[in-house]
Amino acid sequence: MAITTLSHVSFASNHSLINDKSLGLKRSFFIKGFSSAPLSLAFKTNFGQALENVSSKRLLTTPHHRSRHVVCAIPQDNKVPVAPLELENSTRPPTNLYSENSLHTATILSVDKISGPKAPAETYRIVYFHDGFLPYWEGQVLRVMKAPDENPFEPGNPENLSFFSAASSRYGDSFNGKTTTLCVRSIPGTTSEILCKSKRGDKIQLAGPTREAMISGDFRNPNATHIFVATGTGVAPFRAHLRRFFKEDIPTFQFSGLAWLFHGVSNNDSALFKDEFEQYQKEYPNNFCYNIAYSREQKNKLGGKMYVQDIFSDYADEVLELLLKGAYIYLAGLKDMVKPIEDALSDAATKKDKDWNEILTSLKINDQWRVEAKLKTCFFFKVVVLFILLQTSYVSSKASSLPFNILETNYYINGLRNPTRVVNTPRKVVGGEKFPVAPLSLEHALRPPTNLYTSSAPHTATILSVKKITGENASTETYHIPENPFTVGNSSQLRYFTSASSRYGDMFNGRTASLCVSLSVGSTSEVLIKSKPGDKIQLTGPSGEAMLLGNFNPKATHIFVATGTGIAPFRAHLRRFFKEEIPTYKFSGFAWLFHGVSNADSVLYEDEFDRYLKDYPENFRYDIALTSGEKYVQDIVVEYASEVLELLLKGAYIYLSGNKKMVTPIENGLNITANNNGKNWDEILETLKSNNQWRVEVY
């Protein structure tokens, strides 16, 4: 999906009443928006039975309690074997394997127009070859740009990069894991136009993969129910999922759930992948429902154009019932469709004497409500997602609210320190005072909460305190402000901050979050720093996963490398490791923190880290670089490159957060060390990226 190029359409389909109430549906579904032939009775009966078979329990606050069902086992005769099956082994999606500073070069294999002559815009199916070096999951996004020598835009301009969702599964349309398909609408003067004019053999450069909003909400469960709603090229990630469900023979994933696709386009010539979807409907009528609408060729019940919200409202009762029983809903396309869809579901909830705000909040917490809607400005969210949620009051509250009612800010004045070298072997944590945390339900989520709030519907939070945490001689004033990994500001002044506290906040109650903010005159950070207790701020998010732990195993080894306030996410992790008493998470691994700052007065959270060093000397190592002493953080990492490389080869995870200038020297240092030990660094780096061990968020 090219978020910057979505066409302004919605969808609809014909419908009629049926009298057999035992089917569990008020209306019959139609395969085609322009057809008069309803779906098979087998589908309607089975679909209705599915509604009856699923537990009637209310939506709960954790995904563990949601019931599942098998609609109908899918025959495998028409499926195609895929390879390599190792792509099924990962428990987490690969994230940011390539960045703007380290792009992957791929080769165009084919560019085929898939829209008809009467379509208002030309849309192309573009296949590129990455030879397995850019793996991704269905629903993830790639950032694409033309190779520098072919790019007509200003070199280095962020506008060179555009977001596109993969329209093929992780195995690609060739079923071999070496290609990716994009669905691109050509817009003059943009990267999309350049892509659409490409020829076989042309080179493109890519960053990513990133984002998770359109990834399957329950990717381990082949019996789950998924409701896909798209406008235009927003159908791309859903095509990827549907190929995985109905086209690919994957021994460890045999889909037997239910998929329901709503797709809106302008007219019949704008219908994308229609033949594929109709084939799935024909082969798997008990497991797939396809509704398509043509906004320029159909009328809604009021005589206007048929948009997505119009047809969705006709089926809102059925959709709500599925959502209450554990289904996942995905909205991809124009944001104009989101509120009308919410309103339709709200009306359906009212009929059932239920509170839609409560339901929506629970859906978001359970990761069942997944939205990737078109915004005016698209760029990477340079933030870290943390599981910062409130207690079960989400379900009982009369108003939908963010998992933070109040934001807490605690700052620490740092003193001088002399870095202590602690060479150790990881072993079980034996000392240190820890504090009980609540609510422990925050440990239940299988996936991080994503985009609970957007710029069109932000959350308002309250500042508790703002304190300076740098000394008088620091090169830049830095403040510790309780916020979160959410975007702060209005639509034209959005700024991104990573949470410096764990999901439980510095108050250990899951109701606050802390930010580490460096003063930049004339920016949102200055406004934040000058705020006072009681001031209100607006937040969106959370989003981004590069700085999430690569492995939630409490025995894992993590190497954190930061410059300046890039240390914020690492403070959050270290508090979880060494400060918080969590019954289900007892850290016994090893954490190594490298931090680079200007001078001693610029050191952040020094007292905390020194305390961890004292209490857990065999589980924590802390090295700091002062540029006033002509030493940068990359210099220290290179100094210990042999130890770092050894840990990486044994499965450690490394995270780089802060100034991008540190990345290349660190890679070069590890490269030299690898070569000195008879190893190929390029191969090692590719393996680290594929295993999600190499995690970078730099600016």
Side-chain angles (χ1 to χ4, degrees), residues 100-101 103 143 145-149 151-161 205 660:
E100 297 174 37
N101 305 307
L103 295 163
R143 296 192 78 185
M145 69 178 293
K146 200 69 172 174
D149 58 344
N151 201 317
F153 298 105
E154 178 186 352
N157 187 334
E159 295 302 319
N160 289 348
L161 292 160
Q205 292 188 314
K660 66 182 179 182

Side-chain angles (χ1 to χ4, degrees), residues 160-237:
N160 289 348
L161 292 160
S162 297
F163 290 90
F164 298 92
S165 288
S168 54
S169 80
R170 65 192 72 179
Y171 298 101
D173 286 358
S174 300
F175 307 104
N176 61 5
K178 295 185 177 183
T179 68
T180 301
T181 297
L182 302 178
C183 179
V184 182
R185 178 185 177 185
S186 181
I187 294 182
T190 68
T191 302
S192 66
E193 182 186 29
I194 300 171
L195 277 175
C196 294
K197 290 182 177 180
S198 298
K199 297 179 177 60
R200 180 180 177 86
D202 285 355
K203 304 296 183 182
I204 58 171
Q205 292 188 314
L206 305 106
T210 187
R211 298 189 180 178
E212 295 200 5
M214 294 297 102
I215 287 180
S216 173
D218 193 350
F219 58 86
R220 293 187 182 90
N221 184 4
N223 303 325
T225 295
H226 305 278
I227 302 164
F228 302 129
V229 186
T231 62
T233 55
V235 78

Side-chain angles (χ1 to χ4, degrees), residues 404-409 459-465 482 532-537 539:
F404 315 94
N405 287 338
I406 301 178
L407 295 183
E408 155 74 6
T409 307
H459 172 73
T460 300
T462 305
I463 293 289
L464 289 188
S465 63
K532 299 178 176 59
D535 285 354
K536 305 296 183 181
I537 56 173
L539 310 159

